[in-house]
């Protein structure tokens, strides 16, 4: 990060804010698992209304994280930015390791069994 100019840091901050929403992460997780899906399926998986999911998908699309494909009256979305999976892998891996360390210190398994 030391050699990044301020405009790129601003872009990075925007990206982190965009990915800092649990609903958008649920959407991205579902799309990573499914590959491509229509808004209705994404909404059901995220536990949100189609209108709410459409709003989140628009933000992800504007940030060039997902791509939209129209087929008749249906809109299908898929993740197109591979850095999202890489970043989530790093963050989720760190969280898993932290939970495992804390569980070991308390003498329980990460699932909560003593």
């Amino acid at each position: 990060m030391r050699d990044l100019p301020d405009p790129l840091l601003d872009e990075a901050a925007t990206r982190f804010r965009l990915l800092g929403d649990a609903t958008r992460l649920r959407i991205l997780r579902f799309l990573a698992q499914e590959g491509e899906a229509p808004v209705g399926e994404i909404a059901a998986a995220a536990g949100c209304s189609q209108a709410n999911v459409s709003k989140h998908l628009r933000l992800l699309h504007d940030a060039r994280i997902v791509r939209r494909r129209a087929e008749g009256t249906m809109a299908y979305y898929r993740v197109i930015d591979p850095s999202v999976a890489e970043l989530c892998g790093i963050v989720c891996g760190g969280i898993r390791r932290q939970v495992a360390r804390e569980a070991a210190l308390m003498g329980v398994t990460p699932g909560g069994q003593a």
Side-chain angles (χ1 to χ4, degrees):
M1 281 184 26
R2 289 182 284 191
D3 59 345
L4 283 178
D6 284 348
L8 290 181
L9 287 176
D10 293 340
E11 185 67 29
T14 298
R15 177 64 58 103
F16 280 120
R17 279 192 300 276
L18 186 65
L19 296 175
D21 182 273
T23 298
R24 286 193 283 273
L25 291 177
R26 285 184 194 94
I27 290 168
L28 291 169
R29 178 184 61 192
F30 179 73
L31 290 174
Q33 293 167 344
E34 296 300 313
E36 183 180 72
V39 175
E41 287 181 23
I42 299 168
C48 298
S49 70
Q50 285 192 19
N52 189 18
V53 165
S54 291
K55 176 189 76 165
H56 288 292
L57 286 167
R58 185 177 58 253
L59 293 171
L60 293 168
H61 180 267
D62 291 348
R64 297 176 306 281
I65 293 174
V66 301
R67 179 165 290 149
R68 180 183 187 272
R69 177 179 66 83
E71 187 174 299
T73 60
M74 300 286 285
Y76 294 83
Y77 288 86
R78 64 184 170 95
V79 177
I80 60 167
D81 183 345
S83 70
V84 172
E86 295 169 20
L87 180 59
C88 288
I90 291 167
V91 172
C92 292
I95 292 169
R96 285 188 189 103
R97 287 188 296 278
Q98 181 179 358
V99 167
R101 280 193 304 270
E102 291 172 0
L105 288 173
M106 294 187 303
V108 298
T109 61
Q113 302 291 324

